[in-house]
Amino acid sequence: MGLTQSLTASLTLLGEALDDPDLDLPAAVNEFAETIRSAVGSFEGLSLHVTGPIGGLGFTLMGEDATWTGPGSTVGASLLLPMLPTDGEQCSEIVLYAANPGAFVDLAADLAVLTATPLPELVLDEHLDPDRRQQDITEVLDAAVIDQAVGVLLGWGWTPEEASAALDDRPARRGKDRLGAAAELIADLARGTGGWWVNPPPWRA
Amino acid sequence: MDTPPADTQQGPSSARAPSADADDADLQSSLGGLAGLVSGSFSLDELLGKVATFAVRAIPRADGAGVTLLRTDAGAHRVEALAASDQFVADIDELQYSTLQEGPCITAALERRTVRSGSLGGEKLWPRFGPRVGRFGVNSVLSLPLLLPGEVVGAINVYARMKDAFDDRAAAIGEAFAVPAAVAVHNAQVLAQAVALTAQLQTALWSRPVIDQAIGILRSRTGESTDEAFARLRMISQRENRKLADIARQVVDEATRRARARGSGR
């Protein structure tokens, strides 16, 4: 199943945060899709939403090459799997899509048994219009730039609160957003010209 | 070796032996066990172990069984997960998959058919595996592929110490057992992969921000690139045998403490 370039980059970035150098998250996503395809012949794709800071991560993959066929496409069945909550508040969830009506009935029954989950909690056929906006994700990559910029400021003696405020104030004065300001800072660092950022915050005595 | 086609089955007889009724009862009980794998959730390994145990119960004269999940990778099968009803089965399957890469399960999976032997010590089909298994005191094997439409997802190996333990009826019972077993273990694999994937993504989402901040701190102090700073964190993590996120957290906390100390004039 084809992953977009930004999704592959995001998953790779996330995979690096785990203590397993052999783990290939993009490959794991593809492997998961192929396992489902073996169980459900008309499998079309999946959506995955994982809870995390700043909204978490969500993406949708449809078709062999991740091309989205749009509303009125071949989704005739869906199955929502609520994954166990780890933060006590929200579940991550996976939604599977297939072309043939009833395609997930047997899988849902087996999963209900395996997890001792009441069958109604595995929601069948209520997600027949996958969110086409979730084909391309950049939030993970954007957050990495902002977090790295915060780290640079911490390294130069700014407190976390000062760093966060600076990334908001400075872009407001120069017409950039937070991500733009962070990217500018990282670029200045790479050029060896930290400039205004290098000194402690000007409001310190 | 007697390797009848996979579709060979004994038809019903007008005069059934008492043992046939007992065999049916064992099969039905085991199939019921497969259908009722409840009482709490199971990990994939636990489920495979239970399927192996049910297989021993279902198939006449079986002394042990192993269940293997396989994944096809570039035309070759690799072991995804496995479980055994007894230690001697685990030892034999280790021999088959890791040491020799030869044996009845591999043949059953590659050729998608039931495979059996009643005298492993002299088995020509597996010239290295057969004699070595004979030294375990195991003489008979019945291997059943776990099949989904168009795909082999694994195999069940059933072993017996007596020679010629598995006749046509045992093979037929094994094949009847393997059909729902294939679906059960494959769906368990779907669940295991779903749980693993979401757990990995969730952990990574919570860990990545502090790692990126630590990279920024190192870059500001050393002039290193992103990749160099990340490599340094990973090296420290491996050297100290601590998680990468924990190392990063320590770097960030120290930098924050210093910044606050400077800000307060201490």
Side-chain angles (χ1 to χ4, degrees), chain A residues 104-197:
Chain A
F104 292 117
V105 170
D106 290 341
L107 177 60
D110 273 354
L111 294 181
V113 164
L114 287 167
T115 59
T117 298
L119 196 54
E121 291 188 19
L122 305 177
V123 180
L124 278 165
D125 300 333
E126 290 187 18
H127 302 80
L128 301 181
D129 187 15
D131 187 353
R132 64 180 300 169
R133 293 168 300 174
Q134 289 190 314
Q135 290 294 299
D136 227 343
I137 62 165
T138 57
E139 292 89 343
V140 170
L141 302 173
D142 294 348
V145 174
I146 293 170
D147 286 320
Q148 193 178 130
V150 168
V152 169
L153 292 173
L154 291 178
W156 283 335
W158 297 59
T159 66
E161 297 78 18
E162 290 166 344
S164 185
L167 285 175
D168 289 330
D169 288 346
R170 187 166 174 79
R173 292 201 301 272
R174 294 180 52 165
K176 287 186 192 299
D177 62 7
R178 191 173 163 91
L179 174 62
E184 182 185 61
L185 169 59
I186 299 297
D188 286 344
L189 177 70
R191 284 192 291 267
T193 56
W196 179 84
W197 302 97

Side-chain angles (χ1 to χ4, degrees), chain A residues 11-21 23 25 28-29 31-39 48-53 56-57 59 81 83-87 90-94 96 106-107 110-116 140 143-145 147-162 186 189-190 204, chain B residues 34-43 47 71 78 80 148-149 151 153 180 183-184 186-191 193-221 223-227 230 234 237-238 242-245 252 255-256 258-263:
Chain A
L11 292 174
T12 301
L13 194 73
L14 289 174
E16 290 173 349
L18 302 172
D19 293 276
D20 183 356
L23 177 65
L25 268 182
V29 170
E31 201 168 293
F32 177 54
E34 287 309 309
T35 301
I36 301 169
R37 194 186 305 282
S38 297
L48 190 149
H49 182 78
V50 180
T51 55
L57 170 71
F59 59 86
L81 306 176
M83 305 309 296
L84 291 174
T86 58
D87 60 6
Q90 289 177 280
C91 277
S92 298
E93 60 185 34
I94 297 174
L96 308 178
D106 290 341
L107 177 60
D110 273 354
L111 294 181
V113 164
L114 287 167
T115 59
V140 170
V145 174
D147 286 320
Q148 193 178 130
V150 168
V152 169
L153 292 173
L154 291 178
W156 283 335
W158 297 59
T159 66
E161 297 78 18
E162 290 166 344
I186 299 297
L189 177 70
R204 282 199 202 160
Chain B
L34 273 182
L37 281 174
V38 285
S39 309
S41 61
F42 294 103
S43 68
L47 182 120
R71 174 164 294 279
R78 63 176 174 84
E80 184 90 348
L148 293 182
E151 187 170 346
V153 297
V183 175
H186 191 70
N187 288 343
Q189 189 178 27
V190 169
L191 177 63
Q193 288 185 352
V195 169
L197 190 57
T198 51
Q200 286 162 349
L201 287 171
Q202 200 139 20
T203 301
L205 277 171
W206 285 98
S207 301
R208 189 74 219 191
V210 72
I211 292 171
D212 285 317
Q213 289 180 16
I215 289 172
I217 291 169
L218 292 181
R219 291 195 66 191
S220 71
R221 291 175 180 170
E224 288 173 333
S225 67
T226 299
D227 288 346
F230 182 74
R234 193 178 281 289
S237 166
Q238 290 168 350
R242 292 167 58 201
K243 289 186 178 177
L244 182 61
V252 171
T256 301
R258 286 190 191 177
R260 294 199 198 285
R262 282 197 206 115

